[in-house]
Amino acid sequence: MDSLTVLEGKKLDAVMFVQDYLQLQLESFLVTYLSFPHVIREDHTHVFGDAEYRNRICEFIGEVVSSVTYVADQTFSLDFSGKKIECSLSPDVRISPEIVTIRLENGDMIVF
């Protein structure tokens, strides 16, 4: 999806855990995960519930998105120079019709 390239080059300013979902503030963009994403670093994947999950995802604060991957009904991933915050969009694991929302600078929304 071409509109997702606007996230490339944006710095992660904040990680917000909000009861049962997660938000990432990428400068003036807000990415909301209604299903907690995986944190992929080097050779290890951290999932919500792991003892180090919060620490590993917060380590991305200050880093810049190098690329965005979106494959319909499969995956949405923010790549930070080889490390990723990634979630499945597979219909098999969906907990709701929406898994990820992105609020753009102008207030428009992208919904997966």
Side-chain angles (χ1 to χ4, degrees), residues 6-42:
V6 299
L7 298 175
E8 294 174 1
K10 302 299 181 210
K11 181 177 65 163
L12 179 61
D13 291 326
V15 174
M16 296 158 280
F17 290 88
V18 187
Q19 193 163 356
D20 60 352
Y21 62 95
L22 178 81
Q23 293 184 310
L24 302 179
Q25 183 74 45
L26 294 163
E27 297 181 21
S28 58
F29 299 87
L30 184 66
V31 179
T32 300
Y33 293 90
L34 299 174
S35 177
F36 285 93
H38 293 5
V39 177
I40 303 168
R41 302 179 65 86
E42 293 83 37

Side-chain angles (χ1 to χ4, degrees), residues 15-102:
V15 174
M16 296 158 280
F17 290 88
V18 187
Q19 193 163 356
D20 60 352
Y21 62 95
L22 178 81
Q23 293 184 310
L24 302 179
Q25 183 74 45
L26 294 163
E27 297 181 21
S28 58
F29 299 87
L30 184 66
V31 179
T32 300
Y33 293 90
L34 299 174
S35 177
F36 285 93
H38 293 5
V39 177
I40 303 168
R41 302 179 65 86
E42 293 83 37
D43 62 345
H44 191 76
T45 298
H46 299 274
V47 298
F48 185 74
D50 288 353
E52 287 296 307
Y53 182 83
R54 179 188 55 85
N55 293 337
R56 296 295 82 86
I57 203 163
C58 287
E59 288 174 351
F60 284 85
I61 295 172
E63 295 195 30
V64 174
V65 174
S66 56
S67 65
V68 180
T69 302
Y70 166 71
V71 180
D73 293 328
Q74 291 184 30
T75 190
F76 173 74
S77 176
L78 298 174
D79 188 329
F80 296 81
S81 298
K83 298 171 282 188
K84 296 180 180 184
I85 298 173
E86 179 176 281
C87 74
S88 174
L89 301 176
S90 170
D92 298 339
V93 298
R94 282 187 179 267
I95 58 170
S96 71
E98 302 168 346
I99 298 296
V100 179
T101 64
I102 302 168

